[in-house]
């Protein structure tokens, strides 16, 4: 079901510089003890246990709550500016998150994500409701490469794990409150408090709210274009015995994004590309509306048996509604006049069980089982081309389901070697019970779709680790990942409907990777370097139907796509000075694959496997993956000036570079496919006085004007320059 939701970057920075709770309370993630003025060790939970990042065979960027503050990370969009090989293309209530060029390439419920996001151990909505703000967060783990053993399906590119702050039993009444104000009348308030209830029970309450004027000056606009968001979280931790722990969390979010605005890629009067210097000023002729509302509840129960074996259950229930109205031609012209007005209800229930052995034995292991059921219901859905003249409507249900079993075993070998082997079997299914219809031509063009598709796959990872010494860790592995197939939807061809295209296959990726993690200068510098080679098969892509090119169908690239690259990151601390950075270099190349670009002409025969090549039937062999920049680079630095009265002054600077990208596989500059490089500079200066921190901040200080994403025939702009002040008090 094509859900063409759009996005413009929201206020991604204002709360970030100084608004995350982890600046004022210790992270819930354990850290190794280290000397003051050196790099602190961090942990990852990617393998269902807490492990030292420097001793774990995985490419990852881990950000503590304090890191989110320093780097200005308030939403998922900003992760692309702090981690190598990451791009996030925000199309509204749905995001396309890609790591190493692999992720979600189509904007519909049938195409699964390639990067799965977990919140407090629960896999979240796969694509919708992705703009949930980061507040009172303990840490964020960005895992690069397929995570087929533990994350399973929809992790072909990687996974993101978000852990929020937990209550602390015996921790007393403590927390923080923080307010900010910036340009665009951007104002917000957030905070959290720990509530000790008894010797075995504690609670934590956190909240976040923001109002911001729109970035845009649009004539002909109806509706309220400004951003209004409110979120709250209630957490309970109960430990009746030293062996049993129960953690319950409930989040509620109301996210009014005002509307998602995109102007036309090509000026309809001149036939030329619109300049990027004027992306925030244009006209449209349809009401704008964009609201997400959802509730997520999770319960994590852990029991540690006398022999050290841990039994864990993680239950998740999520329910939400996303609604959107918008002008999807990016002009105020009477012709063309394309609009969308839709809402979708989603209910997601999941259950995972783990049995985990102690990790201090020569052989350690993990066993697990997983179940997920996801239902989409469409109470209203309309694409008008134009509205009132030809409306493509949809009503009905789409259900998806996954059942999986997995396990991993680790063998400690002589001379510091370790062998790990993990495997997962997943069975998936998807079912449509929908009616596609055109009211103006009903029942002539009524087309019910009652269809289902199912399949299964085996994914996993085999790793050889080598602890060369206490400062050097090397690894090599082969990992696999899969993304389920799905159902194509109905297309129309007046005066009668055409056959529904066949289902598309699941994607599959094999990743060969080596890495080296080390420490230098008495732990003042910590580094991670690695190289990977991916054989990516059955890439899911949407192209025009050869015999009906005004409509698209989703199919698979018949030839393997090759992706390979190099990544490096480093963190350094010398006393009061700290700096860290990351670099990603990547090359991607499609196999032989023929398709027509309906924007520049179609006609004749164009078989995806054999062509033949012509002016309209294009051989995409050698073209790069979409949204796969060849170079990603980020660096940040700060220095703490210790003042005589005990105060502290901390200037900080952040810079990120993402090289040019292509928005479609056709690499057509004239049609607007080329996305220029983006360079984002941010800075802040924070004054700490006792339990108060006041910060002046700025994001995109050079006001880099760039196209964040393309959804032909419109483009979407990245956030402009923002600046302001925030004040936080801890207690």
């Amino acid at each position: 079901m094509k859900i063409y939701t759009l996005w413009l970057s929201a206020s991604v920075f204002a709360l970030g510089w100084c608004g995350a709770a982890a600046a004022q309370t210790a992270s819930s993630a354990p850290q190794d003890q280290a000397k003051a003025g050196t790099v602190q060790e961090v942990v990852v939970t990617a393998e269902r246990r807490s492990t030292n990042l420097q001793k774990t065979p995985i490419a990852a960027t881990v950000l503590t709550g304090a890191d989110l503050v320093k780097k200005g990370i308030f939403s998922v969009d900003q992760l692309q500016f702090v981690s190598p090989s990451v791009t996030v293309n925000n199309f509204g209530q749905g995001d396309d998150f890609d790591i190493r060029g692999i992720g979600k390439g189509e904007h519909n419920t049938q195409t699964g994500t390639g990067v799965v996001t977990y919140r407090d151990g629960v896999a979240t909505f796969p694509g919708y409701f992705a703009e949930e703000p980061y507040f009172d967060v303990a840490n964020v783990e960005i895992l690069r490469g397929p995570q087929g053993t533990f994350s399973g399906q929809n992790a072909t590119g990687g996974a993101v794990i978000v852990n929020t702050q937990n209550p602390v039993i015996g921790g007393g009444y403590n927390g923080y409150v923080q307010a900010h104000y910036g340009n665009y009348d951007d104002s917000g308030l957030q905070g959290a408090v720990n509530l000790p209830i008894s010797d075995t029970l504690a609670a934590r309450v956190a909240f976040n709210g923001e109002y911001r004027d729109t970035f845009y000056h649009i004539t002909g606009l109806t509706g309220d274009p400004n951003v209004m968001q409110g979120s709250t979280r209630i957490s309970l931790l109960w430990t009746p015995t030293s062996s049993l722990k129960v953690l319950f969390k409930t989040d509620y979010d109301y996210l009014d994004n005002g509307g998602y605005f995109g102007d036309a890629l090509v000026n309809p009067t001149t036939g030329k590309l619109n300049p990027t210097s004027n992306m925030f000023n244009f006209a449209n002729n349809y009401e704008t509306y964009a609201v997400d509302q959802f509730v997520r509840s999770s319960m994590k129960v852990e029991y540690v048996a006398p022999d050290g074996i841990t039994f864990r259950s993680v239950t998740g229930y999520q329910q939400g509604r996303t609604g959107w109205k918008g002008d999807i031609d990016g002009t105020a012209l009477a012709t063309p006049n394309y609009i969308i007005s839709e809402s979708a209800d989603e209910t997601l229930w999941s259950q995972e069980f783990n049995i985990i052995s102690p990790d201090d034995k020569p052989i350690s292991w993990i066993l697990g089982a997983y179940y997920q059921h996801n239902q989409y219901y469409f109470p209203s859905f309309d694409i008008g081309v134009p509205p009132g003249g030809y409306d493509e409507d949809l009503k009905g249900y789409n259900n998806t389901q996954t059942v999986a079993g997995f396990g991993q075993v680790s063998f400690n070998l002589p001379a510091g070697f370790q062998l790990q082997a993990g495997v997962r079997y997943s069975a998936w299914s998807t079912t449509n019970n929908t009616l596609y219809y055109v009211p103006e031509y009903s029942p002539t063009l009524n087309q019910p779709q009652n269809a289902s598709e199912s399949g299964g796959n085996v994914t996993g990872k085999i790793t050889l680790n080598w602890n060369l010494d206490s400062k050097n860790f090397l690894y090599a592995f082969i990992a696999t990942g899969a993304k389920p197939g799905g159902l194509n939807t109905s297309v129309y061809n007046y005066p009668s409907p055409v056959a529904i295209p066949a289902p598309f296959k699941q994607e599959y990726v094999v990743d060969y990777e080596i890495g080296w993690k080390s420490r230098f200068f008495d732990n003042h510098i910590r580094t991670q370097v690695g190289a990977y080679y991916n054989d990516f098969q059955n890439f899911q892509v949407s192209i025009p139907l050869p015999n009906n090119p005004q409509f698209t169908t989703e199919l698979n690239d018949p030839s393997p796509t090759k992706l390979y690259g190099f990544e490096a990151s480093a963190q350094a601390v010398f006393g009061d000075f700290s700096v860290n950075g990351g670099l990603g270099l990547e090359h991607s190349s499609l196999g032989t694959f023929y398709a027509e670009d309906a924007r520049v002409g179609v006609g004749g025969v164009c078989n995806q496997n054999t062509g033949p090549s012509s002016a309209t039937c294009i051989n995409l062999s050698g073209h790069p993956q979409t949204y796969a920049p060849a170079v990603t680079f980020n660096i940040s630095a700060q220095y703490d000036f210790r003042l005589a009265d005990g105060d502290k002054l901390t200037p900080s600077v952040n810079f990120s570079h993402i090289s040019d990208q292509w928005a479609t596989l056709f690499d057509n500059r004239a049609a607007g496919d080329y996305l220029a490089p983006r360079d984002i500079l941010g800075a802040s200066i924070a004054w700490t006085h006792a339990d108060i921190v006041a910060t002046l901040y700025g994001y995109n200080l050079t006001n880099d004007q760039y196209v964040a994403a393309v959804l032909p025939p419109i483009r979407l702009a990245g956030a402009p320059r923002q600046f302001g002040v925030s004040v936080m008090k801890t207690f």
Side-chain angles (χ1 to χ4, degrees):
M1 279 149 253
K2 303 289 181 180
I3 308 299
Y4 291 106
T5 51
L6 309 181
W7 167 253
L8 290 178
S9 296
S11 178
V12 294
F13 182 77
L15 292 180
W17 279 110
C18 174
Q24 59 286 10
T25 59
S27 168
S28 61
Q31 294 184 338
D32 289 354
Q33 297 297 317
K35 293 189 302 182
T38 63
V39 180
Q40 299 290 321
E41 299 293 349
V42 297
V43 302
V44 289
T45 57
E47 298 182 348
R48 298 299 187 268
R49 29 170 128 233
S50 296
T51 58
N52 187 326
L53 176 61
Q54 288 297 102
K55 300 292 184 179
T56 304
I58 193 170
T61 299
V62 178
L63 304 168
T64 66
D67 293 330
L68 299 179
V69 173
K70 291 183 286 187
K71 298 175 183 295
I73 308 301
F74 176 60
S75 71
V76 65
D77 304 53
Q78 294 307 100
L79 295 182
Q80 64 185 312
F81 299 121
V82 297
S83 178
S85 308
V86 171
T87 58
V88 183
N89 308 296
N90 196 320
F91 290 92
Q93 280 101 321
D95 283 339
D96 290 351
F97 199 132
D98 292 81
I99 297 178
R100 298 175 177 175
I102 301 176
K104 182 176 176 69
E106 300 300 326
H107 327 299
N108 57 68
T109 62
Q110 283 293 293
T111 306
T113 59
V115 179
V116 65
T117 298
Y118 287 85
R119 286 262 186 168
D120 294 311
V122 173
T124 62
F125 297 107
Y128 290 138
F129 311 104
E131 288 304 305
E132 181 180 358
Y134 292 162
F135 68 99
D136 202 36
V137 169
N139 61 16
V140 176
E141 304 171 22
I142 307 168
L143 314 178
R144 302 188 296 273
Q147 308 296 313
T149 301
F150 293 100
S151 296
Q153 297 182 143
N154 303 117
T156 47
V160 176
I161 299 174
V162 181
N163 298 306
T164 62
Q165 293 281 3
N166 293 332
V168 178
I169 295 175
Y173 293 91
N174 59 70
Y176 77 101
V177 62
Q178 180 264 334
H180 80 269
Y181 184 80
N183 61 333
Y184 297 100
D185 200 22
D186 188 4
S187 53
L189 181 69
Q190 69 167 269
V193 59
N194 188 78
L195 303 172
I197 299 174
S198 71
D199 292 341
T200 61
L201 182 65
R204 186 176 182 89
V205 178
F207 68 91
N208 177 73
E210 181 183 14
Y211 172 88
R212 176 181 55 74
D213 288 344
T214 181
F215 296 142
Y216 294 86
H217 302 282
I218 303 176
T219 58
L221 174 69
T222 57
D224 186 353
N226 301 320
V227 172
M228 292 175 287
Q229 299 185 348
S231 306
T232 186
R233 180 183 308 115
I234 300 174
S235 307
L236 290 170
L237 177 62
W238 181 46
T239 57
T241 71
S242 60
S243 301
L244 179 62
K245 180 171 69 174
V246 180
L247 178 63
F248 176 80
K249 296 189 178 185
T250 292
D251 294 81
Y252 172 75
D253 285 76
Y254 179 89
L255 310 177
D256 184 347
N257 296 302
Y260 301 121
F261 308 104
D263 65 336
L265 273 165
V266 178
N267 189 308
T269 59
T270 65
K272 297 181 179 180
L273 290 175
N274 277 319
T276 58
S277 59
N278 197 34
M279 290 188 293
F280 297 99
N281 298 276
F282 58 91
N284 67 16
N285 54 2
Y286 192 71
E287 179 182 0
T288 62
Y289 172 88
V291 175
D292 281 343
Q293 302 176 70
F294 66 91
V295 175
R296 177 180 55 253
S297 296
S298 65
M299 178 174 286
K300 181 178 180 180
V301 181
E302 285 190 347
Y303 173 74
V304 181
D307 58 3
I309 294 178
T310 299
F311 297 86
R312 177 185 297 155
S313 168
V314 181
T315 306
Y317 179 81
Q318 302 166 77
Q319 186 174 32
R321 168 170 285 193
T322 178
W324 180 64
K325 295 181 180 179
D327 185 327
I328 54 175
D329 59 68
T331 73
L333 299 176
T335 303
N337 183 19
Y338 304 147
I339 66 92
I340 189 171
S341 176
E342 58 94 358
S343 64
D345 296 343
E346 185 174 4
T347 302
L348 177 62
W349 183 82
S350 63
Q351 177 64 56
E352 180 170 329
F353 294 107
N354 301 142
I355 305 175
I356 306 171
S357 75
D359 56 8
D360 58 352
K361 307 294 184 183
I363 299 177
S364 58
W365 47 266
I366 299 176
L367 296 175
Y370 183 75
Y371 174 79
Q372 176 180 294
H373 179 84
N374 195 11
Q375 181 183 80
Y376 299 94
Y377 168 63
F378 301 94
S380 65
F381 180 87
D382 175 46
I383 296 179
V385 288
Y390 191 91
D391 292 87
E392 299 176 6
D393 288 2
L394 159 70
K395 60 183 178 181
Y397 295 86
N398 168 234
N399 294 320
T400 64
Q401 183 171 282
T402 298
V403 179
F406 61 92
Q408 177 175 283
V409 60
S410 302
F411 302 92
N412 292 334
L413 305 174
F417 285 95
Q418 183 187 57
L419 179 65
Q420 294 180 310
V423 65
R424 184 184 188 110
Y425 175 76
S426 301
W428 57 268
S429 65
T430 178
T431 301
N432 272 347
N433 184 1
T434 57
L435 174 66
Y436 291 79
Y437 61 102
V438 179
E440 294 85 357
Y441 298 94
S442 181
T444 304
L445 294 187
N446 286 9
Q447 185 151 336
Q449 184 171 357
N450 300 300
S452 62
E453 184 74 6
S454 61
N457 53 69
V458 177
T459 57
K461 183 177 180 181
I462 298 177
T463 308
L464 180 63
N465 301 321
W466 186 22
N467 284 286
L468 179 61
D469 53 39
S470 62
K471 298 180 180 179
N472 292 278
F473 174 75
L474 297 93
Y475 62 88
F477 63 73
I478 301 174
T480 57
K483 187 164 74 171
L487 297 167
N488 271 304
T489 57
S490 301
V491 296
Y492 299 97
N493 186 23
Y494 180 79
S496 62
V498 299
I500 300 173
F504 53 92
K505 301 176 183 178
Q506 61 186 5
E507 293 180 350
Y508 202 78
V509 61
V510 181
D511 174 33
Y512 305 89
E513 196 156 338
I514 58 173
W516 171 36
K517 300 182 179 183
S518 60
R519 315 177 198 197
F520 300 96
F521 302 112
D522 196 23
N523 205 37
H524 284 283
I525 297 178
R526 188 179 62 205
T527 63
Q528 306 87 28
V529 297
Y532 62 91
Y533 179 90
N534 286 351
D535 186 351
F536 187 27
Q537 300 191 29
N538 289 331
F539 171 51
Q540 295 169 357
V541 59
S542 182
I543 66 169
L545 288 167
N547 61 345
N548 196 17
Q550 66 268 40
F551 298 105
T552 61
T553 183
E554 192 154 355
L555 45 75
N556 302 92
D557 182 347
S559 302
T561 295
K562 306 297 182 183
L563 303 98
Y564 53 87
F566 170 82
E567 295 168 343
S569 56
Q571 307 79 42
V573 177
F574 292 92
D576 291 326
F577 175 73
S578 62
V579 60
N580 64 73
L583 171 69
L585 306 175
E586 181 180 25
H587 176 80
S588 62
S589 178
L590 293 174
T592 300
F593 178 39
Y594 295 88
E596 291 182 308
D597 186 351
R599 300 168 299 176
V600 297
V602 295
V605 176
C606 190
N607 182 283
Q608 70 178 91
N609 296 294
T610 60
S613 182
S614 68
T616 57
C617 188
I618 303 168
N619 185 358
L620 299 176
S621 177
H623 287 219
Q625 285 275 66
T626 54
Y627 299 112
V631 180
T632 54
F633 172 73
N634 63 274
I635 188 169
S636 63
Q638 74 169 40
Y639 189 85
D640 291 331
F641 289 94
R642 310 284 177 172
L643 307 181
D645 56 2
D647 289 359
K648 183 171 63 175
L649 196 64
T650 307
S652 176
V653 62
N654 305 283
F655 175 77
S656 173
H657 169 77
I658 299 177
S659 66
D660 54 351
Q661 309 165 57
W662 293 101
T664 81
L665 297 177
F666 295 102
D667 303 352
N668 189 325
R669 284 179 178 262
D673 292 350
Y674 177 77
L675 302 185
R678 58 195 69 168
D679 296 294
I680 304 299
L681 175 66
S684 71
I685 183 166
W687 172 54
T688 302
H689 174 73
D691 57 3
I692 296 176
V693 180
T695 306
L696 295 173
Y697 60 79
Y699 166 75
N700 194 4
L701 290 174
T702 62
N703 203 28
D704 189 10
Q705 303 287 301
Y706 64 94
V707 178
V710 168
L711 186 61
I714 64 173
R715 63 184 183 176
L716 300 106
R721 176 168 48 225
Q722 295 172 259
F723 52 85
V725 60
S726 67
V727 178
M728 177 177 64
K729 177 177 173 57
T730 61
F731 57 89

